Amino acid sequence: SFMMADELERLRAELKVEEEAQELLKLRAEVEALRKEQLNEKNQSSFSKKRSSSQSKKKETNSKEEVGRATKKARGTEFGSISRRVDKARSALSGLPASSFSDARSDEKRNHIFNASQKKPKEKRWENLVNFTRNHTKSIEYLANNDLSAYARASPCGEWCKDLAHCYAIDCEMCICEDPITKKRTNRELVRFSIVDASDANVSIQAAENAGEDDVILDSLVQPSLPVVDYVSRIHGIDAQQLEHVTFQRLHAQAALKLLCCDRCVLIGHAIHNDLSSLQFAHDCIVDTSLLFRVAKNMLPSLKDVAALVAPEPIKVDLQRRQHNSTVDARTSFLCADFLLTNHSHLPYSIERKQSLTQNHIFIHRIPNEYAHADLIKKAFELATGILVDSIINFQTATPYSKITLVLRTPQHANLAFESLGDRFDDDKTGKPQKKLFLTSSSSSSTPLANEDLIPRYYKPNRHGPYCKVRMA
């Protein structure tokens, strides 16, 4: 009887296992059916997406072809002399709502990495300078660090541009704006844009001599696309009142370039990558005079440094103006580049910076707003260096940073003071070394130095506190 019971128990267990196995098979069949159903739905969805994408691409291609035909039809035809060419170029841009800076001044008185095409310039004489600029470390870094996929570009060279100028010089004036959503600030918003014909140096020299605009194709104020934080009027003289009724925008500036130049047309400028970034325009055939010249220790020169040594005399006179002028700067860049066409045996062309009349000056900038007081900066400098300041000049307050120039007794005093500030922090854009000047002491990290009664030998700067940057003027 015990054996019968064991056998019965064993049979029951086997039956249970068999039932569970059948149940498992049913479940697997259901899962497989669900998978097939989902796969069918996915395939149908993918097919519909591809179909709609193909239709949209076809529409986009047709639209681009229509725009291309309309653009080609609108472009200029024949040019004779330089003056006629400039007149034609001006008339080609006549539909754009340009607002000249001179008109604004008179009114005021009354009241993704870009895939470089590596194409040769249309004019062979510029090929050496274009190639040097293109292969310079700064150009490579610009392409590597900036996404140019959304930038405007010139159209391919063709029949439409055979009679247009082969070379233009450009320059931009900019302001500081802030995105109201992200609160991110940019100092590359356009406020003025100038294009100068760079076909004949003699025409540009004559225009400079006569204070004329015979070589100027376009010179317009530009309405910034974001709310302005600082117009930087002290640099270029453009303010809110002059821009009030301006309708010319960055898109119009891009349209002007696309109407005038093809992808093999040469654009000349000083630090031209800054201008192209402000214009949001990607171009490969460029000549950058800031890279073609160098001063001591491989520093990048300013436009005034270059012009002072290689530009014709009328240009030097033009550059003596206190405020920037984009037409003058564009013309100067062209004439400095033109100088290299016959003096380019070795690039970059070495020049010597003229002996400055301000060797006893110390330039302090990037001063935070809450510390933008002349007495505070003067006292911080004296405490940090142990050298007295004779006077203060050019104290300019701005947002978000201010700047000031300190005058010391002699150049020797200035050099000693700069050396006593410690290790080099970084270099400015021209390669000059800069150091930190801390604005609070370690005894009271939140109290400005101007409010503390300290003497130099007991002064210890708070190296974790706010600071500004110092360099020789």
Side-chain angles (χ1 to χ4, degrees), residues 433-452:
Q434 299 188 122
K435 298 184 179 181
K436 287 182 179 181
L437 174 65
F438 295 94
L439 301 174
T440 58
S441 73
S442 58
S443 62
S444 176
S445 60
S446 61
T447 305
L449 292 175
N451 298 334
E452 293 190 14

Side-chain angles (χ1 to χ4, degrees), residues 31-82:
V31 170
E32 192 64 31
L34 284 171
R35 276 184 187 165
K36 287 182 179 179
E37 189 176 342
Q38 288 176 354
L39 187 62
N40 289 336
E41 288 178 0
K42 188 176 180 181
N43 289 338
Q44 288 178 1
S45 173
S46 176
F47 176 74
S48 61
K49 281 182 181 178
K50 285 181 180 178
R51 188 174 179 182
S52 62
S53 175
S54 174
Q55 289 174 348
S56 64
K57 280 183 181 177
K58 190 174 181 181
K59 288 180 181 178
E60 187 179 347
T61 303
N62 292 338
S63 175
K64 282 182 179 177
E65 288 176 355
E66 289 175 9
V67 171
R69 285 194 291 271
T71 305
K72 286 181 181 179
K73 190 176 179 181
R75 282 172 174 136
T77 54
E78 273 194 344
F79 294 93
S81 64
I82 296 297

